[in-house]
């Protein structure tokens, strides 16, 4: 049974609606609005199915008349006739009101009355009957199966015996060979080497005496013993077993005293003396000091090839203007399609090239297919302009879809949220998570520098208690940030401190203590650094879900590198799934945003940004572009798409 079927324009005007279940009209409004927000506006039309709470929605687009057909039913039901029904309704509705749409246009939609109930019920009845006509395929009886033709004797195999067919084939292979004249000649059989054993051969017993037989047996016995001795000498076993266990390496200039290397003293937290200010080259640490302090600049994409192409185009246009307009006009008209509606056959060659281009630019293969499918559904049936090619139309639609995907549904404004937390007299907590080696600690230090430049004090919580050197790395960043922003420049206030408890401790407990310490000491922001973990490691993912569930951070950022392709989809899907599965709360906290690192190493292969935002619908909050503290950018969607579409 269908819950509802509705037809509306892309402008949002409902033309006709059928409600199959009694209830308020708002029961179908919320699912349709969710479909519009999450799929249609976000250019995610690669799949014609959408799930909202307990309902499954299937939809079809009519791009010629700008219509949307949506059907909704309970997701626990398996309705096989829904696809046929939505196709039939689409065809019938178009044919019935085609003239009204073509002649009156928008006014016909606004002022028209669409009496479609009887036609819809007739189509629904036909679709239900067609699904009932298809009887389920009956199972074969035993007599119809191939097993019934076999006898019981043929299915019994004795141990040690080979199947007769195989042995016959082997015999036939070596029995005959084809002569040069074409005749089959029996192959000469090699005489088998018979092992002469005086104790077993009856003829030898008669010819040899007892003493000779005894002597022969002794020789055979010693010969066997000598062979065994040779084999044992080839792989001699060591006399003394090696000591099991791994011994620690002792360096010549190292310190054997473990107390000297132990930095896990809890009394160091909040003490500025443990992180003394050191003299560093500010230009080396910060990089570009000419920019405005605290400003997060956008990514800029500048291509020398595009500048050269523009020069070539300008020069060619000037020369063509001198020569005359007829040749240029006829050349421009080549390959143009005039006032025809696009079909799938027209777009398939172009979409195939676009898909290969996206995959070459590091977009995940699955995402590239869905993007091209979404563009095809968006353009199918759309009437093209007079001076427009299929390639340019498809490329323009794909660019618009990519820009829409990169622009988030909800913009994350960290500075605004920090100021809001200040008004409530509590610290703003950001948790960083991700796989190993993507640059969580380095980009945490960059974000710390950006926050300090905007006048906020930062407490770094060292919750990576697993990786060797993780605490020391954060301590080094703390010293250098304090050197760049000493307390005397901020009215004696220390702008960044490190909260750590050493190694081997519970990360969730350290984060909780750090947040409480920041609340007591009046810190504005707490940045929680976590250990890198692979998405398939269930115990570590459970520990991460526990840390997030216990401390409820304001922002959970997934740190991913721009070098990955298909792996980006797998990482984000499994991180979100693990956070949902291992959370105790009814509404688990998932990833809120993305930090894209190593963006300076990929040139124009920026596909990871598309893959990550498409799979999660979450924004890319920060982009890491280098090794200095100033190498932090915000995402510019148009610049990324320009790099992605570059040939």
């Amino acid at each position: 049974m269908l819950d509802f079927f509705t037809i509306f324009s892309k402008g949002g005007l409902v033309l006709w609606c059928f409600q199959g279940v009694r209830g308020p009209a708002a029961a179908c409004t919320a699912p349709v609005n969710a479909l519009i927000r999450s799929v249609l506006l976000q250019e995610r039309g690669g799949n014609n199915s959408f799930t909202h709470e307990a309902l499954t929605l299937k939809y079809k687009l009519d791009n010629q008349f700008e219509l949307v057909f949506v059907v909704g039913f309970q997701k626990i039901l398996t309705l096989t006739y829904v696809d046929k029904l939505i196709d039939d309704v689409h065809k019938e509705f178009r044919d019935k009101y085609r003239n009204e749409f073509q002649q009156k246009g928008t006014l016909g939609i606004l002022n028209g009355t669409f009496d479609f109930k009887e036609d819809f019920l007739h189509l629904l009845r036909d679709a239900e009957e067609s699904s009932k006509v298809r009887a389920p395929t009956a199972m074969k009886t035993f007599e119809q199966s191939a097993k019934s033709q076999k006898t019981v004797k043929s299915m019994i195999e004795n141990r040690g015996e080979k199947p007769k067919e195989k042995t016959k084939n082997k015999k036939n292979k070596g029995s005959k060979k084809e002569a040069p004249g074409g005749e089959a000649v029996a192959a000469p059989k090699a005489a088998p080497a018979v092992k002469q054993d005086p104790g077993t051969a009856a003829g030898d017993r008669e010819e040899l005496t007892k003493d000779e037989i005894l002597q022969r047996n002794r020789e055979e016995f010693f010969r066997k013993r000598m062979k065994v001795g040779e084999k044992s000498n080839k792989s001699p076993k060591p006399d003394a077993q090696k000591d099991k266990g791994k011994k620690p390496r002792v360096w010549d200039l190292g310190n054997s005293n473990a107390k000297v290397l132990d930095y896990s003293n809890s009394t160091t937290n909040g003490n500025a003396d443990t992180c003394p200010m050191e003299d560093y080259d500010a230009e080396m640490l910060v990089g570009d000091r000419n920019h405005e302090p605290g400003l997060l600049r956008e990514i800029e994409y500048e291509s020398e090839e595009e500048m050269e192409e523009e020069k070539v185009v300008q020069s060619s246009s000037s020369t063509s203007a001198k020569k005359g307009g007829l040749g240029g006009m006829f050349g421009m008209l080549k390959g143009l399609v005039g006032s025809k509606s696009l079909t799938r056959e027209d777009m398939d060659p172009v979409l195939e090239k676009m898909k290969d281009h996206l995959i070459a630019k590091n977009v995940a293969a699955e995402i590239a297919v869905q993007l091209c499918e979404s563009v095809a559904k968006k353009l199918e049936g759309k009437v093209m302009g007079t001076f427009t090619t299929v390639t340019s139309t498809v490329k323009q639609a794909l660019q618009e879809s990519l820009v829409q995907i990169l622009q988030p549904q909800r913009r994350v404004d960290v500075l605004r949220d920090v100021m809001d937390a200040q008004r409530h007299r509590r610290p703003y907590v950001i948790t960083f998570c991700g796989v190993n080696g993507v640059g969580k600690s380095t980009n945490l230090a960059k974000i710390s520098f950006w926050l300090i430049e905007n006048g906020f004090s930062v407490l770094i919580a060292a919750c990576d208690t697993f990786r060797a050197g993780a605490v020391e790395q954060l301590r080094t960043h703390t010293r250098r940030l304090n050197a760049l922003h000493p307390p005397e420049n901020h009215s004696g206030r220390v702008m960044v401190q490190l909260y750590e408890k050493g190694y081997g401790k519970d990360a969730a407990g350290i984060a909780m203590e750090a947040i409480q310490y920041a609340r007591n000491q009046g810190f504005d922001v707490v940045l929680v650094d976590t250990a890198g973990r692979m998405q398939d490691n269930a115990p570590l993912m459970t520990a991460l879900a526990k840390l997030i569930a216990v401390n409820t951070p304001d922002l959970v950022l997934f740190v991913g590198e721009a070098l990955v392709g298909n792996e980006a989809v797998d990482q984000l899907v499994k991180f979100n799934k693990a956070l949902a599965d291992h959370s105790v709360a009814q509404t688990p906290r998932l990833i809120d945003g993305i930090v894209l690192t190593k963006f300076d190493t990929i040139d124009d292969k920026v596909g990871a940004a598309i893959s990550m935002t498409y799979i999660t619908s979450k924004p890319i909050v920060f982009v890491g572009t280098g090794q200095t503290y100033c190498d932090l950018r915000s995402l510019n969607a148009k610049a990324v798409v320009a790099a992605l579409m570059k040939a």
Side-chain angles (χ1 to χ4, degrees):
M1 177 182 287
L2 300 180
D3 282 36
F4 64 88
F5 196 110
T6 181
I7 304 171
F8 58 93
S9 68
K10 288 187 178 180
L13 182 65
V14 178
L15 307 183
W16 181 83
C17 183
F18 166 79
Q19 197 161 354
V21 180
R22 290 182 180 179
C28 64
T29 304
V32 174
N33 287 337
L35 172 70
I36 294 171
R37 284 193 305 268
S38 303
V39 178
L40 301 182
L41 293 180
Q42 292 295 318
E43 303 290 346
R44 300 172 188 273
N47 188 8
N48 66 341
S49 180
F50 174 72
T51 302
H52 176 72
E53 295 179 354
L55 291 178
T56 296
L57 278 68
K58 290 201 171 185
Y59 63 95
K60 186 169 185 178
L61 304 178
D62 187 318
N63 296 300
Q64 183 177 357
F65 298 122
E66 301 291 322
L67 301 177
V68 183
F69 298 78
V70 181
V71 58
F73 55 93
Q74 296 292 322
K75 66 180 180 181
I76 61 173
L77 301 178
T78 306
L79 303 181
T80 57
Y81 61 85
V82 171
D83 292 328
K84 181 180 183 303
L85 174 65
I86 199 168
D87 290 337
D88 294 343
V89 171
H90 172 229
K91 185 178 179 182
E92 184 72 19
F93 192 83
R94 275 173 52 100
D95 294 344
K96 187 173 182 178
Y97 299 104
R98 179 188 296 270
N99 294 331
E100 191 170 348
F101 290 145
Q102 289 179 342
Q103 293 173 3
K104 298 181 181 179
T106 308
L107 292 176
I109 295 177
L110 293 174
N111 301 325
T113 56
F114 303 95
D115 186 11
F116 194 66
K117 185 174 182 181
E118 295 299 328
D119 299 325
F120 174 77
L121 292 176
H122 177 69
L123 294 173
L124 177 61
R125 200 177 304 113
D126 291 345
E128 289 176 345
E129 290 297 328
S130 65
S131 65
K132 292 178 182 177
V133 170
R134 300 175 186 173
T137 56
M139 295 179 62
K140 289 183 179 180
T141 61
F142 179 73
E143 287 74 16
Q144 294 174 342
S145 64
K147 195 173 182 180
S148 63
Q149 307 300 326
K150 296 182 180 180
T151 61
V152 177
K153 186 177 180 181
S154 65
M155 291 187 287
I156 297 175
E157 292 184 3
N158 294 328
R159 185 179 295 177
E161 291 185 0
K162 296 181 179 179
K164 294 181 179 179
E165 295 180 358
K166 293 182 179 180
T167 54
K168 286 180 181 178
N169 293 336
K170 288 181 180 179
K171 289 179 181 178
N172 293 335
K173 282 181 183 178
S175 59
K176 293 183 179 181
K177 288 184 180 178
E178 198 170 359
E183 298 179 356
V185 181
K189 294 183 179 180
V194 180
K195 189 176 181 179
Q196 293 183 357
D197 191 354
T200 56
D204 291 346
R205 285 198 195 100
E206 295 177 359
E207 296 176 1
L208 300 175
T209 60
K210 292 182 179 180
D211 296 336
E212 291 176 348
I213 293 172
L214 184 62
Q215 184 66 23
R216 184 76 59 84
N217 291 340
R218 286 178 179 174
E219 292 176 359
E220 189 69 24
F221 174 76
F222 286 118
R223 193 180 300 115
K224 290 180 180 179
R225 294 294 297 173
M226 290 295 291
K227 288 181 180 179
V228 173
E230 289 175 1
K231 290 181 181 179
S232 62
N233 290 333
K234 289 180 181 178
S235 58
K237 294 184 179 179
D239 297 335
Q241 282 189 342
K242 293 183 178 179
D243 295 336
K244 293 183 179 180
K246 186 177 179 181
K247 292 183 178 180
R249 178 177 292 181
V250 180
W251 299 96
D252 296 335
L253 301 177
N255 196 329
S256 60
N257 189 3
K259 294 183 180 180
V260 178
L261 302 176
D262 187 13
Y263 295 97
S264 60
N265 186 10
S266 60
T267 59
T268 60
N269 296 315
N271 188 0
D273 295 336
T274 58
C275 296
M277 269 68 78
E278 302 180 15
D279 294 330
Y280 294 104
D281 186 1
E283 293 184 0
M284 182 186 69
L285 295 179
V286 179
D288 184 14
R289 295 290 291 182
N290 295 325
H291 78 291
E292 184 181 347
L295 178 65
L296 193 65
R297 293 185 296 177
E298 292 184 344
I299 294 174
E300 297 177 358
Y301 177 71
E302 297 178 357
S303 176
E304 295 179 358
E305 295 180 2
E306 289 184 356
M307 296 173 64
E308 292 176 359
E309 288 176 1
E310 289 178 1
K311 293 179 181 178
V312 171
V313 169
Q314 290 175 1
S315 61
S316 62
S317 62
S318 60
T319 53
S320 62
K322 293 177 181 177
K323 289 181 179 178
L326 280 178
M329 180 62 70
F330 284 117
M332 186 178 66
L333 290 174
K334 289 182 180 179
L336 298 182
V337 182
S339 298
K340 69 167 283 189
S341 58
L342 278 172
T343 62
R344 190 61 185 261
E345 289 74 18
D346 297 332
M347 294 184 290
D348 278 344
V350 182
L351 289 173
E352 188 66 26
K353 291 181 180 179
M354 290 291 179
K355 184 192 73 173
D356 296 340
H357 177 77
L358 291 175
I359 294 174
K361 288 300 180 77
N362 234 8
V363 179
E366 179 185 355
I367 305 299
V369 172
Q370 293 180 12
L371 283 171
C372 293
E373 190 69 24
S374 175
V375 170
K377 289 184 178 180
K378 181 180 177 181
L379 294 178
E380 190 173 4
K382 187 175 181 180
V383 178
M384 297 177 58
T386 306
F387 298 100
T388 311
T389 62
V390 178
T391 304
S392 63
T393 304
V394 173
K395 188 174 181 180
Q396 181 66 25
L398 182 60
Q399 284 180 340
E400 293 174 359
S401 299
L402 293 173
V403 172
Q404 190 67 31
I405 287 168
L406 288 174
Q407 289 176 346
Q409 298 179 8
R410 180 182 71 89
R411 185 167 178 243
V412 177
D413 192 339
V414 177
L415 299 180
R416 181 196 60 194
D417 296 339
V418 171
M419 288 188 287
D420 184 66
Q422 275 184 331
R423 286 193 292 269
H424 292 84
R425 296 184 179 180
R426 66 174 184 85
Y428 185 79
V429 183
I430 304 176
T431 299
F432 296 82
C433 62
V435 300
N436 308 75
V438 294
K440 289 185 295 298
S441 302
T442 302
N443 285 273
L444 180 146
K446 294 179 185 179
I447 295 171
S448 300
F449 178 76
W450 173 67
L451 290 168
I452 295 167
E453 294 246 312
N454 282 280
F456 300 113
S457 58
V458 178
L459 179 68
I460 300 175
C463 295
D464 184 357
T465 62
F466 178 76
R467 177 172 64 91
V471 177
E472 286 74 20
Q473 181 182 5
L474 292 177
R475 183 178 288 112
T476 302
H477 282 304
T478 304
R479 289 173 179 169
R480 297 191 172 188
L481 290 171
N482 278 322
L484 293 171
H485 287 276
E488 52 268 20
N489 293 351
H490 298 275
S491 304
R493 185 185 183 189
V494 179
M495 296 302 292
V496 57
Q497 289 185 14
L498 176 66
Y499 190 93
E500 52 97 1
K501 290 288 185 180
Y503 297 97
K505 309 293 192 307
D506 180 33
I510 295 175
M512 181 182 291
E513 294 176 8
I515 295 170
Q516 185 61 38
Y517 179 83
R519 184 179 288 110
N520 296 335
Q521 299 296 324
F523 281 94
D524 299 321
V525 184
V526 178
L527 303 181
V528 180
D529 183 34
T530 61
R533 63 205 75 210
M534 295 306 294
Q535 63 269 21
D536 298 319
N537 194 323
L540 292 180
M541 295 306 298
T542 306
L544 178 64
K546 173 189 171 185
L547 185 147
I548 294 174
V550 168
N551 297 286
T552 60
D554 298 282
L555 189 64
V556 179
L557 294 179
F558 176 84
V559 184
E561 58 185 7
L563 301 169
V564 295
N566 293 320
E567 186 69 11
V569 177
D570 187 58
Q571 289 174 4
L572 279 164
V573 168
K574 290 188 177 178
F575 259 81
N576 261 336
K577 185 176 182 299
L579 292 178
D581 292 345
H582 300 301
S583 179
V584 184
Q586 293 182 351
T587 56
R589 282 295 304 276
L590 303 179
I591 293 169
D592 299 318
I594 299 166
V595 179
L596 195 61
T597 65
K598 306 178 185 179
F599 203 78
D600 55 321
T601 64
I602 56 173
D603 193 23
D604 59 352
K605 291 181 172 55
V606 295
I610 300 292
S611 301
M612 290 182 179
T613 50
Y614 188 92
I615 203 66
T616 59
S617 302
K618 302 299 181 183
I620 295 178
V621 185
F622 300 105
V623 179
T625 59
Q627 296 296 321
T628 63
Y629 290 138
C630 275
D631 291 329
L632 193 68
R633 301 285 186 271
S634 63
L635 188 75
N636 185 352
K638 292 183 180 179
V640 173
V641 173
L644 191 67
M645 298 303 294
K646 173 189 167 185

